[in-house]
Amino acid sequence: MEFEMYLKNSGIEFLKDHPLKDLTTFKIGGKARYIIFPKSTEELVKVLTLAKDKAINHVVVGNCSNILVSDKGFDGTIIATVKIDFFKIDGNVIEAECGAMLSQVARKACEAGLKGFEFAVGIPGTVGGAVYMNAGAYDGEIKDVFEWAEVLDENLNPVELGRADMRFSYRHSRLKEEKMVLLRAAFCLKFADKEDISPLQKANEFSKRRREKQPLSYPSAGSVFKRPPNNYAGKLIEDAGLKGYRIGDACISEKHAGFIINLGDAKAEDVRKLIYLAQKTVYEKFGILLEPEIQFIGEFETPLFVPENVQNRR
Ligand SMILES: Cc1cc2nc3c(=O)[nH]c(=O)nc-3n(C[C@H](O)[C@H](O)[C@H](O)COP(=O)(O)OP(=O)(O)OC[C@H]3O[C@@H](n4cnc5c(N)ncnc54)[C@H](O)[C@@H]3O)c2cc1C
């Protein structure tokens, strides 16, 4: 109650007992006690400080485009950064706040004749989510263009991190390891040369490829699994005979077996059952354990698959 009073008195936008499915690109997820939308990094810091002081269970999210939320929801506070969205381009450097949409930032960079961010035009997340995940596509990754970030460490101390501090690897960054919150980041690009294909044209070609290969007309969270070394999750799932497999309204996409799509009223547990099935079947057929790329919020009844030999070692 005290927390709610503080939010009201500070004029900070929030929703109470609201379904998270309204936020997630999967259109799945039960209620959170509070969903808060800070409008500035200062408001974000205030909310985080209060949540820490009052020991309130909380998670910072961006556009929820890589998240499966439990049907039971989240017994705590979701802090969504999507309204902290200022960014500017100065020469070949872009500075963006955590909630700026990566696709918009990348498109503006391409329009300004800058190359290096074409890969990001079709990724539907925020700058914060993209740096946290080291998002990437078409041979490009955030780590290739990242310059610095202003973050808060677990104790909410402000820290500035350069590229070498970030421990980027495939869909991984230091933010994940140390529960850091990204406030803003800078990216450094290059001006396209006359002989280069124009960055905008390249970005449009990537977007066209996405529309051809990905089931973009259905709600999803993109690729569910990380790419295993020298292989593709979608191909393994397809070769395991699971393309089009459906549980409730959750379905392994016919168009791209690496995606699970929501055909209408899919439950998070249906998605978890498909994840388990895909992991188990692929493991039994090919000996490869698929690791989820998507992040989970809340509690699930269906576990992730753990091979027996790994279980025995525990
Ligand atoms: C149709 C579709 C296509 C996609 N294609 C791609 C693709 O090509 N490549 C790719 O990499 N991904 C892809 N994705 C997944 C997703 O868009 C990316 O992972 C994106 O970077 C997530 O950003 P977000 O703002 O939505 O993060 P969220 O989903 O909101 O959060 C993801 C994680 O980041 C954390 N987080 C978010 N903001 C912050 C912050 N400010 N500070 C600290 N932690 C934070 C959250 O706690 C969570 O753990 C796709 C998704 C969809 C739906």
Side-chain angles (χ1 to χ4, degrees), residues 182-231:
L182 184 131
L183 300 179
R184 58 174 62 81
F187 306 97
C188 187
L189 303 171
K190 289 203 171 86
F191 284 103
D193 298 319
K194 276 208 188 87
E195 54 274 20
D196 289 332
I197 318 175
S198 96
L200 207 50
Q201 193 187 335
K202 201 168 164 190
N204 288 339
E205 276 165 22
F206 288 157
S207 298
K208 184 165 166 269
R209 261 202 252 171
R210 267 181 199 273
R211 286 193 299 275
E212 283 165 5
K213 298 240 161 77
Q214 299 181 357
L216 299 182
S217 50
Y218 289 97
S220 80
S223 297
V224 173
F225 299 103
K226 291 184 184 172
R227 202 178 55 225
N230 307 318
N231 221 316

Side-chain angles (χ1 to χ4, degrees), residues 207-266:
S207 298
K208 184 165 166 269
R209 261 202 252 171
R210 267 181 199 273
R211 286 193 299 275
E212 283 165 5
K213 298 240 161 77
Q214 299 181 357
L216 299 182
S217 50
Y218 289 97
S220 80
S223 297
V224 173
F225 299 103
K226 291 184 184 172
R227 202 178 55 225
N230 307 318
N231 221 316
Y232 292 96
K235 178 162 189 331
L236 290 164
I237 295 168
E238 184 177 345
D239 292 348
L242 292 173
K243 211 174 191 183
Y245 198 97
R246 181 171 172 176
I247 296 180
D249 263 354
C251 182
I252 294 179
S253 166
E254 287 277 2
K255 199 167 176 182
H256 185 319
F259 278 55
I260 292 177
I261 53 173
N262 178 358
L263 296 175
D265 190 25

Side-chain angles (χ1 to χ4, degrees), residues 295-311:
Q295 311 289 298
F296 299 102
I297 291 185
E299 286 171 15
F300 296 85
E301 273 153 34
T302 313
L304 296 174
F305 173 72
V306 182
E308 242 171 58
N309 56 346
V310 178
Q311 274 177 24

Side-chain angles (χ1 to χ4, degrees), residues 7-286:
L7 295 173
K8 278 188 181 152
N9 291 341
S10 317
I12 296 175
E13 196 181 325
F14 70 95
L15 296 166
K16 191 177 175 184
D17 293 327
H18 192 89
L20 284 161
K21 70 181 196 187
D22 288 353
L23 262 67
T24 62
T25 56
F26 241 142
K27 300 289 166 233
I28 293 175
K31 290 177 182 175
R33 197 171 295 176
Y34 296 103
I35 307 173
I36 304 179
F37 298 95
K39 280 188 290 302
S40 63
T41 51
E42 291 75 18
E43 264 190 18
L44 172 60
V45 175
K46 271 191 207 165
V47 171
L48 286 167
T49 307
L50 194 74
K52 184 168 187 288
D53 290 351
K54 304 275 173 219
I56 290 166
N57 189 17
H58 65 279
V59 180
V60 175
V61 299
N63 194 41
C64 297
S65 64
N66 209 25
I67 292 178
L68 180 67
V69 177
S70 155
D71 300 316
K72 292 181 206 142
F74 178 62
D75 185 18
T77 294
I78 296 289
I79 304 169
T81 63
V82 281
K83 300 206 167 165
I84 311 171
D85 59 355
F86 177 77
F87 70 91
K88 64 173 184 197
I89 302 181
D90 192 356
N92 64 333
V93 175
I94 303 174
E95 225 181 284
E97 290 185 327
C98 49
M101 292 301 288
L102 185 70
S103 53
Q104 286 178 21
V105 174
R107 182 161 285 280
K108 281 275 180 235
C110 292
E111 284 169 4
L114 293 167
K115 62 179 180 182
F117 236 158
E118 298 89 332
F119 76 88
V121 165
I123 299 179
T126 60
V127 162
V131 174
Y132 180 95
M133 296 297 301
N134 185 23
Y138 304 113
D139 291 332
E141 275 180 316
I142 286 293
K143 79 167 169 47
D144 304 333
V145 290
F146 178 90
E147 195 64 16
W148 55 258
E150 246 176 67
V151 306
L152 298 176
D153 70 12
E154 219 175 340
N155 298 315
L156 303 184
N157 297 313
V159 185
E160 190 167 317
L161 301 175
R163 190 183 310 187
D165 306 313
M166 286 297 287
R167 300 203 280 270
F168 281 125
S169 61
Y170 175 65
R171 299 297 171 269
H172 181 85
S173 74
R174 181 171 170 189
L175 305 187
K176 260 190 189 180
E177 291 171 24
E178 297 184 23
K179 295 198 178 119
M180 290 169 152
V181 174
L182 184 131
L183 300 179
R184 58 174 62 81
F187 306 97
C188 187
L189 303 171
K190 289 203 171 86
F191 284 103
D193 298 319
K194 276 208 188 87
E195 54 274 20
D196 289 332
I197 318 175
S198 96
L200 207 50
Q201 193 187 335
K202 201 168 164 190
N204 288 339
E205 276 165 22
F206 288 157
S207 298
K208 184 165 166 269
R209 261 202 252 171
R210 267 181 199 273
R211 286 193 299 275
E212 283 165 5
K213 298 240 161 77
Q214 299 181 357
L216 299 182
S217 50
Y218 289 97
S220 80
S223 297
V224 173
F225 299 103
K226 291 184 184 172
R227 202 178 55 225
N230 307 318
N231 221 316
Y232 292 96
K235 178 162 189 331
L236 290 164
I237 295 168
E238 184 177 345
D239 292 348
L242 292 173
K243 211 174 191 183
Y245 198 97
R246 181 171 172 176
I247 296 180
D249 263 354
C251 182
I252 294 179
S253 166
E254 287 277 2
K255 199 167 176 182
H256 185 319
F259 278 55
I260 292 177
I261 53 173
N262 178 358
L263 296 175
D265 190 25
K267 303 289 172 252
E269 287 303 329
D270 300 335
V271 175
R272 284 284 287 222
K273 284 178 193 155
L274 283 180
I275 291 174
Y276 183 91
L277 179 73
Q279 287 183 304
K280 184 170 186 291
T281 315
V282 166
Y283 187 77
E284 286 172 357
K285 287 205 164 176
F286 309 113

